[in-house]
Amino acid sequence: MCCGEDCECHPLGFLLGLPFALISLLLSLVGVIIWIVGITLSCICPCCLCVTVIVEMALALIKAPFSVMKWFTEQIPC
């Protein structure tokens, strides 16, 4: 347990963020599927710029659980 001012542990934020992280995990699985389809489409037709936007969006969905947990743990003090 740390009680100093440079505390990096936020157990309450972690626990409160778990349900949202699980939802984000499901969204990241959808992101993986979109990413695979987008990469396949970009290999078939590399001139489509909209496919690269979709792939970038899918990558953001894949990173969502980590972003959600980081945000929740930063919001609640130690």
mmCIF file of all heavy atoms in Angstrom, residues 23-73:
data_model
loop_
_atom_site.group_PDB
_atom_site.id
_atom_site.type_symbol
_atom_site.label_atom_id
_atom_site.label_comp_id
_atom_site.label_asym_id
_atom_site.label_seq_id
_atom_site.Cartn_x
_atom_site.Cartn_y
_atom_site.Cartn_z
ATOM 1 N N ILE A 23 -16.301 -4.661 -21.476
ATOM 2 C CA ILE A 23 -17.050 -4.203 -22.643
ATOM 3 C C ILE A 23 -16.088 -3.755 -23.742
ATOM 4 O O ILE A 23 -16.267 -4.063 -24.918
ATOM 5 C CB ILE A 23 -18.021 -3.075 -22.246
ATOM 6 C CG1 ILE A 23 -19.116 -3.625 -21.333
ATOM 7 C CG2 ILE A 23 -18.626 -2.417 -23.472
ATOM 8 C CD1 ILE A 23 -19.974 -2.574 -20.680
ATOM 9 N N SER A 24 -15.031 -3.062 -23.337
ATOM 10 C CA SER A 24 -14.024 -2.627 -24.306
ATOM 11 C C SER A 24 -13.312 -3.817 -24.936
ATOM 12 O O SER A 24 -12.926 -3.772 -26.096
ATOM 13 C CB SER A 24 -12.994 -1.726 -23.635
ATOM 14 O OG SER A 24 -13.591 -0.578 -23.137
ATOM 15 N N LEU A 25 -13.137 -4.878 -24.160
ATOM 16 C CA LEU A 25 -12.509 -6.083 -24.696
ATOM 17 C C LEU A 25 -13.372 -6.686 -25.799
ATOM 18 O O LEU A 25 -12.854 -7.110 -26.843
ATOM 19 C CB LEU A 25 -12.283 -7.101 -23.577
ATOM 20 C CG LEU A 25 -11.575 -8.387 -23.969
ATOM 21 C CD1 LEU A 25 -10.156 -8.079 -24.424
ATOM 22 C CD2 LEU A 25 -11.561 -9.352 -22.809
ATOM 23 N N LEU A 26 -14.681 -6.696 -25.598
ATOM 24 C CA LEU A 26 -15.578 -7.186 -26.650
ATOM 25 C C LEU A 26 -15.490 -6.295 -27.887
ATOM 26 O O LEU A 26 -15.468 -6.792 -29.019
ATOM 27 C CB LEU A 26 -17.011 -7.255 -26.140
ATOM 28 C CG LEU A 26 -17.282 -8.290 -25.053
ATOM 29 C CD1 LEU A 26 -18.713 -8.176 -24.552
ATOM 30 C CD2 LEU A 26 -16.996 -9.689 -25.560
ATOM 31 N N LEU A 27 -15.436 -4.987 -27.671
ATOM 32 C CA LEU A 27 -15.278 -4.071 -28.801
ATOM 33 C C LEU A 27 -13.943 -4.281 -29.510
ATOM 34 O O LEU A 27 -13.856 -4.147 -30.725
ATOM 35 C CB LEU A 27 -15.385 -2.623 -28.326
ATOM 36 C CG LEU A 27 -16.779 -2.126 -28.011
ATOM 37 C CD1 LEU A 27 -16.715 -0.717 -27.453
ATOM 38 C CD2 LEU A 27 -17.661 -2.168 -29.237
ATOM 39 N N SER A 28 -12.908 -4.618 -28.744
ATOM 40 C CA SER A 28 -11.614 -4.850 -29.380
ATOM 41 C C SER A 28 -11.638 -6.114 -30.245
ATOM 42 O O SER A 28 -10.965 -6.176 -31.269
ATOM 43 C CB SER A 28 -10.500 -4.927 -28.348
ATOM 44 O OG SER A 28 -10.578 -6.110 -27.596
ATOM 45 N N LEU A 29 -12.434 -7.104 -29.840
ATOM 46 C CA LEU A 29 -12.575 -8.298 -30.685
ATOM 47 C C LEU A 29 -13.262 -7.948 -31.999
ATOM 48 O O LEU A 29 -12.885 -8.449 -33.063
ATOM 49 C CB LEU A 29 -13.346 -9.385 -29.943
ATOM 50 C CG LEU A 29 -12.625 -9.993 -28.738
ATOM 51 C CD1 LEU A 29 -13.536 -10.968 -28.011
ATOM 52 C CD2 LEU A 29 -11.335 -10.652 -29.146
ATOM 53 N N VAL A 30 -14.257 -7.060 -31.927
ATOM 54 C CA VAL A 30 -14.893 -6.561 -33.143
ATOM 55 C C VAL A 30 -13.866 -5.795 -33.970
ATOM 56 O O VAL A 30 -13.816 -5.915 -35.198
ATOM 57 C CB VAL A 30 -16.113 -5.669 -32.796
ATOM 58 C CG1 VAL A 30 -16.640 -4.962 -34.016
ATOM 59 C CG2 VAL A 30 -17.195 -6.499 -32.138
ATOM 60 N N GLY A 31 -13.016 -5.029 -33.291
ATOM 61 C CA GLY A 31 -11.952 -4.294 -33.976
ATOM 62 C C GLY A 31 -10.987 -5.205 -34.696
ATOM 63 O O GLY A 31 -10.516 -4.888 -35.793
ATOM 64 N N VAL A 32 -10.680 -6.351 -34.105
ATOM 65 C CA VAL A 32 -9.782 -7.314 -34.757
ATOM 66 C C VAL A 32 -10.409 -7.831 -36.051
ATOM 67 O O VAL A 32 -9.733 -7.929 -37.088
ATOM 68 C CB VAL A 32 -9.448 -8.483 -33.799
ATOM 69 C CG1 VAL A 32 -8.774 -9.627 -34.524
ATOM 70 C CG2 VAL A 32 -8.574 -7.999 -32.668
ATOM 71 N N ILE A 33 -11.693 -8.134 -36.002
ATOM 72 C CA ILE A 33 -12.382 -8.630 -37.197
ATOM 73 C C ILE A 33 -12.406 -7.549 -38.274
ATOM 74 O O ILE A 33 -12.118 -7.818 -39.453
ATOM 75 C CB ILE A 33 -13.809 -9.103 -36.833
ATOM 76 C CG1 ILE A 33 -13.723 -10.332 -35.932
ATOM 77 C CG2 ILE A 33 -14.619 -9.403 -38.087
ATOM 78 C CD1 ILE A 33 -15.027 -10.723 -35.288
ATOM 79 N N ILE A 34 -12.727 -6.313 -37.876
ATOM 80 C CA ILE A 34 -12.733 -5.205 -38.841
ATOM 81 C C ILE A 34 -11.345 -4.987 -39.412
ATOM 82 O O ILE A 34 -11.171 -4.741 -40.610
ATOM 83 C CB ILE A 34 -13.263 -3.917 -38.176
ATOM 84 C CG1 ILE A 34 -14.731 -4.078 -37.825
ATOM 85 C CG2 ILE A 34 -13.069 -2.706 -39.079
ATOM 86 C CD1 ILE A 34 -15.276 -2.939 -36.984
ATOM 87 N N TRP A 35 -10.323 -5.112 -38.564
ATOM 88 C CA TRP A 35 -8.939 -4.928 -39.010
ATOM 89 C C TRP A 35 -8.550 -5.986 -40.051
ATOM 90 O O TRP A 35 -7.953 -5.665 -41.072
ATOM 91 C CB TRP A 35 -8.011 -4.975 -37.807
ATOM 92 C CG TRP A 35 -6.581 -4.779 -38.141
ATOM 93 C CD1 TRP A 35 -5.973 -3.619 -38.500
ATOM 94 C CD2 TRP A 35 -5.562 -5.784 -38.163
ATOM 95 N NE1 TRP A 35 -4.647 -3.833 -38.725
ATOM 96 C CE2 TRP A 35 -4.371 -5.154 -38.527
ATOM 97 C CE3 TRP A 35 -5.555 -7.157 -37.901
ATOM 98 C CZ2 TRP A 35 -3.172 -5.847 -38.644
ATOM 99 C CZ3 TRP A 35 -4.360 -7.836 -38.002
ATOM 100 C CH2 TRP A 35 -3.194 -7.182 -38.374
ATOM 101 N N ILE A 36 -8.916 -7.234 -39.788
ATOM 102 C CA ILE A 36 -8.585 -8.314 -40.732
ATOM 103 C C ILE A 36 -9.286 -8.087 -42.071
ATOM 104 O O ILE A 36 -8.670 -8.211 -43.137
ATOM 105 C CB ILE A 36 -8.954 -9.690 -40.129
ATOM 106 C CG1 ILE A 36 -8.007 -10.018 -38.972
ATOM 107 C CG2 ILE A 36 -8.900 -10.787 -41.190
ATOM 108 C CD1 ILE A 36 -8.406 -11.235 -38.172
ATOM 109 N N VAL A 37 -10.563 -7.722 -42.022
ATOM 110 C CA VAL A 37 -11.300 -7.449 -43.260
ATOM 111 C C VAL A 37 -10.704 -6.234 -43.974
ATOM 112 O O VAL A 37 -10.525 -6.242 -45.195
ATOM 113 C CB VAL A 37 -12.801 -7.246 -42.967
ATOM 114 C CG1 VAL A 37 -13.541 -6.733 -44.183
ATOM 115 C CG2 VAL A 37 -13.422 -8.545 -42.474
ATOM 116 N N GLY A 38 -10.366 -5.187 -43.227
ATOM 117 C CA GLY A 38 -9.791 -3.983 -43.822
ATOM 118 C C GLY A 38 -8.444 -4.215 -44.465
ATOM 119 O O GLY A 38 -8.167 -3.709 -45.561
ATOM 120 N N ILE A 39 -7.602 -4.996 -43.805
ATOM 121 C CA ILE A 39 -6.293 -5.318 -44.385
ATOM 122 C C ILE A 39 -6.469 -6.134 -45.659
ATOM 123 O O ILE A 39 -5.788 -5.901 -46.657
ATOM 124 C CB ILE A 39 -5.417 -6.076 -43.363
ATOM 125 C CG1 ILE A 39 -5.010 -5.141 -42.233
ATOM 126 C CG2 ILE A 39 -4.190 -6.683 -43.997
ATOM 127 C CD1 ILE A 39 -4.094 -4.013 -42.644
ATOM 128 N N THR A 40 -7.397 -7.060 -45.648
ATOM 129 C CA THR A 40 -7.659 -7.870 -46.840
ATOM 130 C C THR A 40 -8.156 -6.997 -47.985
ATOM 131 O O THR A 40 -7.695 -7.128 -49.121
ATOM 132 C CB THR A 40 -8.702 -8.959 -46.520
ATOM 133 O OG1 THR A 40 -8.250 -9.723 -45.400
ATOM 134 C CG2 THR A 40 -8.899 -9.882 -47.702
ATOM 135 N N LEU A 41 -9.079 -6.086 -47.678
ATOM 136 C CA LEU A 41 -9.585 -5.189 -48.722
ATOM 137 C C LEU A 41 -8.500 -4.247 -49.236
ATOM 138 O O LEU A 41 -8.459 -3.935 -50.423
ATOM 139 C CB LEU A 41 -10.768 -4.382 -48.194
ATOM 140 C CG LEU A 41 -12.070 -5.131 -48.023
ATOM 141 C CD1 LEU A 41 -13.120 -4.220 -47.393
ATOM 142 C CD2 LEU A 41 -12.573 -5.677 -49.342
ATOM 143 N N SER A 42 -7.623 -3.792 -48.356
ATOM 144 C CA SER A 42 -6.558 -2.894 -48.811
ATOM 145 C C SER A 42 -5.538 -3.635 -49.671
ATOM 146 O O SER A 42 -4.899 -3.025 -50.530
ATOM 147 C CB SER A 42 -5.865 -2.223 -47.630
ATOM 148 O OG SER A 42 -5.146 -3.159 -46.876
ATOM 149 N N CYS A 43 -5.392 -4.929 -49.468
ATOM 150 C CA CYS A 43 -4.506 -5.719 -50.341
ATOM 151 C C CYS A 43 -5.149 -5.923 -51.714
ATOM 152 O O CYS A 43 -4.467 -5.947 -52.724
ATOM 153 C CB CYS A 43 -4.194 -7.066 -49.702
ATOM 154 S SG CYS A 43 -3.097 -6.949 -48.296
ATOM 155 N N ILE A 44 -6.469 -6.076 -51.727
ATOM 156 C CA ILE A 44 -7.178 -6.266 -52.990
ATOM 157 C C ILE A 44 -7.221 -4.973 -53.791
ATOM 158 O O ILE A 44 -6.958 -4.955 -54.989
ATOM 159 C CB ILE A 44 -8.609 -6.799 -52.723
ATOM 160 C CG1 ILE A 44 -8.538 -8.201 -52.135
ATOM 161 C CG2 ILE A 44 -9.435 -6.788 -53.991
ATOM 162 C CD1 ILE A 44 -9.878 -8.723 -51.640
ATOM 163 N N CYS A 45 -7.569 -3.879 -53.116
ATOM 164 C CA CYS A 45 -7.682 -2.590 -53.788
ATOM 165 C C CYS A 45 -6.951 -1.524 -52.969
ATOM 166 O O CYS A 45 -7.558 -0.861 -52.116
ATOM 167 C CB CYS A 45 -9.152 -2.214 -53.966
ATOM 168 S SG CYS A 45 -9.379 -0.653 -54.818
ATOM 169 N N PRO A 46 -5.652 -1.353 -53.193
ATOM 170 C CA PRO A 46 -4.882 -0.403 -52.375
ATOM 171 C C PRO A 46 -5.229 1.064 -52.640
ATOM 172 O O PRO A 46 -4.809 1.940 -51.913
ATOM 173 C CB PRO A 46 -3.434 -0.701 -52.763
ATOM 174 C CG PRO A 46 -3.494 -1.369 -54.078
ATOM 175 C CD PRO A 46 -4.827 -2.058 -54.151
ATOM 176 N N CYS A 47 -6.020 1.346 -53.667
ATOM 177 C CA CYS A 47 -6.354 2.737 -53.979
ATOM 178 C C CYS A 47 -7.480 3.285 -53.117
ATOM 179 O O CYS A 47 -7.729 4.492 -53.108
ATOM 180 C CB CYS A 47 -6.708 2.865 -55.455
ATOM 181 S SG CYS A 47 -8.133 1.880 -55.932
ATOM 182 N N CYS A 48 -8.171 2.441 -52.367
ATOM 183 C CA CYS A 48 -9.292 2.889 -51.531
ATOM 184 C C CYS A 48 -8.760 3.505 -50.236
ATOM 185 O O CYS A 48 -8.214 2.812 -49.386
ATOM 186 C CB CYS A 48 -10.207 1.727 -51.185
ATOM 187 S SG CYS A 48 -11.094 1.084 -52.601
ATOM 188 N N LEU A 49 -8.936 4.805 -50.088
ATOM 189 C CA LEU A 49 -8.487 5.481 -48.877
ATOM 190 C C LEU A 49 -9.428 5.237 -47.705
ATOM 191 O O LEU A 49 -9.007 5.300 -46.551
ATOM 192 C CB LEU A 49 -8.340 6.975 -49.129
ATOM 193 C CG LEU A 49 -7.182 7.378 -50.032
ATOM 194 C CD1 LEU A 49 -7.211 8.876 -50.280
ATOM 195 C CD2 LEU A 49 -5.865 6.973 -49.425
ATOM 196 N N CYS A 50 -10.683 4.952 -47.994
ATOM 197 C CA CYS A 50 -11.630 4.720 -46.905
ATOM 198 C C CYS A 50 -11.284 3.450 -46.122
ATOM 199 O O CYS A 50 -11.583 3.354 -44.944
ATOM 200 C CB CYS A 50 -13.057 4.657 -47.431
ATOM 201 S SG CYS A 50 -13.346 3.316 -48.588
ATOM 202 N N VAL A 51 -10.636 2.503 -46.781
ATOM 203 C CA VAL A 51 -10.254 1.270 -46.097
ATOM 204 C C VAL A 51 -9.198 1.568 -45.035
ATOM 205 O O VAL A 51 -9.238 1.014 -43.937
ATOM 206 C CB VAL A 51 -9.755 0.217 -47.115
ATOM 207 C CG1 VAL A 51 -9.224 -1.010 -46.410
ATOM 208 C CG2 VAL A 51 -10.872 -0.171 -48.068
ATOM 209 N N THR A 52 -8.263 2.481 -45.320
ATOM 210 C CA THR A 52 -7.239 2.807 -44.330
ATOM 211 C C THR A 52 -7.849 3.501 -43.112
ATOM 212 O O THR A 52 -7.393 3.288 -41.991
ATOM 213 C CB THR A 52 -6.141 3.685 -44.940
ATOM 214 O OG1 THR A 52 -6.726 4.865 -45.472
ATOM 215 C CG2 THR A 52 -5.392 2.957 -46.019
ATOM 216 N N VAL A 53 -8.883 4.292 -43.325
ATOM 217 C CA VAL A 53 -9.572 4.934 -42.201
ATOM 218 C C VAL A 53 -10.246 3.878 -41.339
ATOM 219 O O VAL A 53 -10.199 3.941 -40.105
ATOM 220 C CB VAL A 53 -10.594 5.970 -42.717
ATOM 221 C CG1 VAL A 53 -11.445 6.508 -41.591
ATOM 222 C CG2 VAL A 53 -9.896 7.086 -43.457
ATOM 223 N N ILE A 54 -10.846 2.890 -41.975
ATOM 224 C CA ILE A 54 -11.503 1.806 -41.243
ATOM 225 C C ILE A 54 -10.480 0.993 -40.453
ATOM 226 O O ILE A 54 -10.717 0.619 -39.299
ATOM 227 C CB ILE A 54 -12.311 0.909 -42.212
ATOM 228 C CG1 ILE A 54 -13.496 1.694 -42.768
ATOM 229 C CG2 ILE A 54 -12.780 -0.360 -41.525
ATOM 230 C CD1 ILE A 54 -14.247 0.979 -43.868
ATOM 231 N N VAL A 55 -9.316 0.758 -41.048
ATOM 232 C CA VAL A 55 -8.258 0.007 -40.362
ATOM 233 C C VAL A 55 -7.751 0.800 -39.156
ATOM 234 O O VAL A 55 -7.520 0.232 -38.079
ATOM 235 C CB VAL A 55 -7.121 -0.346 -41.342
ATOM 236 C CG1 VAL A 55 -5.921 -0.894 -40.606
ATOM 237 C CG2 VAL A 55 -7.610 -1.357 -42.368
ATOM 238 N N GLU A 56 -7.594 2.104 -39.290
ATOM 239 C CA GLU A 56 -7.160 2.939 -38.165
ATOM 240 C C GLU A 56 -8.198 2.928 -37.045
ATOM 241 O O GLU A 56 -7.843 2.883 -35.858
ATOM 242 C CB GLU A 56 -6.903 4.373 -38.633
ATOM 243 C CG GLU A 56 -5.712 4.509 -39.549
ATOM 244 C CD GLU A 56 -4.408 4.179 -38.873
ATOM 245 O OE1 GLU A 56 -4.261 4.492 -37.675
ATOM 246 O OE2 GLU A 56 -3.536 3.597 -39.536
ATOM 247 N N MET A 57 -9.477 2.956 -37.399
ATOM 248 C CA MET A 57 -10.539 2.887 -36.410
ATOM 249 C C MET A 57 -10.508 1.536 -35.693
ATOM 250 O O MET A 57 -10.692 1.450 -34.480
ATOM 251 C CB MET A 57 -11.905 3.090 -37.058
ATOM 252 C CG MET A 57 -13.046 3.104 -36.064
ATOM 253 S SD MET A 57 -14.659 3.088 -36.837
ATOM 254 C CE MET A 57 -14.707 1.449 -37.529
ATOM 255 N N ALA A 58 -10.247 0.474 -36.439
ATOM 256 C CA ALA A 58 -10.171 -0.859 -35.847
ATOM 257 C C ALA A 58 -9.003 -0.942 -34.871
ATOM 258 O O ALA A 58 -9.131 -1.554 -33.799
ATOM 259 C CB ALA A 58 -10.031 -1.912 -36.944
ATOM 260 N N LEU A 59 -7.883 -0.322 -35.197
ATOM 261 C CA LEU A 59 -6.745 -0.324 -34.282
ATOM 262 C C LEU A 59 -7.075 0.430 -32.995
ATOM 263 O O LEU A 59 -6.648 0.031 -31.909
ATOM 264 C CB LEU A 59 -5.521 0.285 -34.953
ATOM 265 C CG LEU A 59 -4.868 -0.595 -36.020
ATOM 266 C CD1 LEU A 59 -3.742 0.159 -36.708
ATOM 267 C CD2 LEU A 59 -4.355 -1.883 -35.418
ATOM 268 N N ALA A 60 -7.834 1.505 -33.103
ATOM 269 C CA ALA A 60 -8.267 2.235 -31.906
ATOM 270 C C ALA A 60 -9.185 1.363 -31.047
ATOM 271 O O ALA A 60 -9.108 1.397 -29.813
ATOM 272 C CB ALA A 60 -8.971 3.524 -32.303
ATOM 273 N N LEU A 61 -10.050 0.577 -31.684
ATOM 274 C CA LEU A 61 -10.921 -0.337 -30.931
ATOM 275 C C LEU A 61 -10.112 -1.424 -30.236
ATOM 276 O O LEU A 61 -10.445 -1.844 -29.126
ATOM 277 C CB LEU A 61 -11.954 -0.985 -31.853
ATOM 278 C CG LEU A 61 -13.138 -0.127 -32.259
ATOM 279 C CD1 LEU A 61 -13.993 -0.871 -33.290
ATOM 280 C CD2 LEU A 61 -13.973 0.240 -31.061
ATOM 281 N N ILE A 62 -9.051 -1.881 -30.888
ATOM 282 C CA ILE A 62 -8.221 -2.929 -30.300
ATOM 283 C C ILE A 62 -7.513 -2.410 -29.046
ATOM 284 O O ILE A 62 -7.360 -3.130 -28.063
ATOM 285 C CB ILE A 62 -7.213 -3.459 -31.341
ATOM 286 C CG1 ILE A 62 -7.960 -4.211 -32.443
ATOM 287 C CG2 ILE A 62 -6.175 -4.363 -30.695
ATOM 288 C CD1 ILE A 62 -7.118 -4.562 -33.643
ATOM 289 N N LYS A 63 -7.120 -1.149 -29.059
ATOM 290 C CA LYS A 63 -6.419 -0.548 -27.919
ATOM 291 C C LYS A 63 -7.372 -0.054 -26.833
ATOM 292 O O LYS A 63 -6.925 0.397 -25.776
ATOM 293 C CB LYS A 63 -5.570 0.622 -28.400
ATOM 294 C CG LYS A 63 -4.455 0.212 -29.319
ATOM 295 C CD LYS A 63 -3.706 1.425 -29.805
ATOM 296 C CE LYS A 63 -2.659 1.061 -30.824
ATOM 297 N NZ LYS A 63 -1.967 2.252 -31.324
ATOM 298 N N ALA A 64 -8.660 -0.133 -27.046
ATOM 299 C CA ALA A 64 -9.652 0.433 -26.124
ATOM 300 C C ALA A 64 -9.572 -0.100 -24.692
ATOM 301 O O ALA A 64 -9.649 0.700 -23.751
ATOM 302 C CB ALA A 64 -11.057 0.234 -26.682
ATOM 303 N N PRO A 65 -9.431 -1.408 -24.450
ATOM 304 C CA PRO A 65 -9.398 -1.870 -23.043
ATOM 305 C C PRO A 65 -8.273 -1.239 -22.243
ATOM 306 O O PRO A 65 -8.446 -0.885 -21.086
ATOM 307 C CB PRO A 65 -9.215 -3.387 -23.152
ATOM 308 C CG PRO A 65 -9.700 -3.734 -24.489
ATOM 309 C CD PRO A 65 -9.421 -2.548 -25.365
ATOM 310 N N PHE A 66 -7.112 -1.064 -22.860
ATOM 311 C CA PHE A 66 -5.983 -0.470 -22.157
ATOM 312 C C PHE A 66 -6.241 1.003 -21.868
ATOM 313 O O PHE A 66 -5.923 1.499 -20.789
ATOM 314 C CB PHE A 66 -4.701 -0.635 -22.981
ATOM 315 C CG PHE A 66 -4.399 -2.072 -23.282
ATOM 316 C CD1 PHE A 66 -4.518 -2.566 -24.567
ATOM 317 C CD2 PHE A 66 -4.005 -2.938 -22.279
ATOM 318 C CE1 PHE A 66 -4.243 -3.886 -24.850
ATOM 319 C CE2 PHE A 66 -3.737 -4.270 -22.546
ATOM 320 C CZ PHE A 66 -3.861 -4.745 -23.835
ATOM 321 N N SER A 67 -6.840 1.692 -22.809
ATOM 322 C CA SER A 67 -7.146 3.111 -22.616
ATOM 323 C C SER A 67 -8.183 3.302 -21.513
ATOM 324 O O SER A 67 -8.059 4.214 -20.691
ATOM 325 C CB SER A 67 -7.670 3.712 -23.920
ATOM 326 O OG SER A 67 -6.726 3.589 -24.943
ATOM 327 N N VAL A 68 -9.188 2.437 -21.488
ATOM 328 C CA VAL A 68 -10.242 2.548 -20.471
ATOM 329 C C VAL A 68 -9.671 2.298 -19.078
ATOM 330 O O VAL A 68 -9.940 3.060 -18.140
ATOM 331 C CB VAL A 68 -11.398 1.570 -20.779
ATOM 332 C CG1 VAL A 68 -12.345 1.436 -19.608
ATOM 333 C CG2 VAL A 68 -12.144 2.029 -22.012
ATOM 334 N N MET A 69 -8.886 1.264 -18.921
ATOM 335 C CA MET A 69 -8.324 0.955 -17.610
ATOM 336 C C MET A 69 -7.376 2.062 -17.154
ATOM 337 O O MET A 69 -7.366 2.438 -15.983
ATOM 338 C CB MET A 69 -7.608 -0.397 -17.624
ATOM 339 C CG MET A 69 -8.560 -1.564 -17.697
ATOM 340 S SD MET A 69 -9.839 -1.539 -16.432
ATOM 341 C CE MET A 69 -8.885 -1.740 -14.959
ATOM 342 N N LYS A 70 -6.582 2.586 -18.055
ATOM 343 C CA LYS A 70 -5.661 3.667 -17.701
ATOM 344 C C LYS A 70 -6.447 4.898 -17.267
ATOM 345 O O LYS A 70 -6.112 5.540 -16.268
ATOM 346 C CB LYS A 70 -4.760 3.993 -18.886
ATOM 347 C CG LYS A 70 -3.726 5.032 -18.574
ATOM 348 C CD LYS A 70 -2.809 5.268 -19.739
ATOM 349 C CE LYS A 70 -1.806 6.355 -19.392
ATOM 350 N NZ LYS A 70 -0.934 6.660 -20.501
ATOM 351 N N TRP A 71 -7.515 5.230 -17.981
ATOM 352 C CA TRP A 71 -8.310 6.389 -17.643
ATOM 353 C C TRP A 71 -8.961 6.229 -16.273
ATOM 354 O O TRP A 71 -8.945 7.150 -15.470
ATOM 355 C CB TRP A 71 -9.374 6.644 -18.714
ATOM 356 C CG TRP A 71 -10.148 7.884 -18.471
ATOM 357 C CD1 TRP A 71 -9.780 9.151 -18.795
ATOM 358 C CD2 TRP A 71 -11.417 7.981 -17.821
ATOM 359 N NE1 TRP A 71 -10.742 10.039 -18.386
ATOM 360 C CE2 TRP A 71 -11.767 9.351 -17.784
ATOM 361 C CE3 TRP A 71 -12.277 7.059 -17.271
ATOM 362 C CZ2 TRP A 71 -12.941 9.804 -17.222
ATOM 363 C CZ3 TRP A 71 -13.458 7.526 -16.707
ATOM 364 C CH2 TRP A 71 -13.787 8.874 -16.681
ATOM 365 N N PHE A 72 -9.546 5.048 -16.008
ATOM 366 C CA PHE A 72 -10.202 4.826 -14.729
ATOM 367 C C PHE A 72 -9.217 4.875 -13.573
ATOM 368 O O PHE A 72 -9.500 5.448 -12.529
ATOM 369 C CB PHE A 72 -10.948 3.486 -14.709
ATOM 370 C CG PHE A 72 -12.398 3.620 -15.026
ATOM 371 C CD1 PHE A 72 -12.861 3.318 -16.289
ATOM 372 C CD2 PHE A 72 -13.295 4.058 -14.087
ATOM 373 C CE1 PHE A 72 -14.198 3.454 -16.602
ATOM 374 C CE2 PHE A 72 -14.639 4.195 -14.385
ATOM 375 C CZ PHE A 72 -15.096 3.889 -15.642
ATOM 376 N N THR A 73 -8.051 4.278 -13.734
ATOM 377 C CA THR A 73 -7.091 4.272 -12.634
ATOM 378 C C THR A 73 -6.522 5.654 -12.377
ATOM 379 O O THR A 73 -6.147 5.962 -11.254
ATOM 380 C CB THR A 73 -5.959 3.269 -12.892
ATOM 381 O OG1 THR A 73 -5.342 3.554 -14.140
ATOM 382 C CG2 THR A 73 -6.460 1.846 -12.862
#
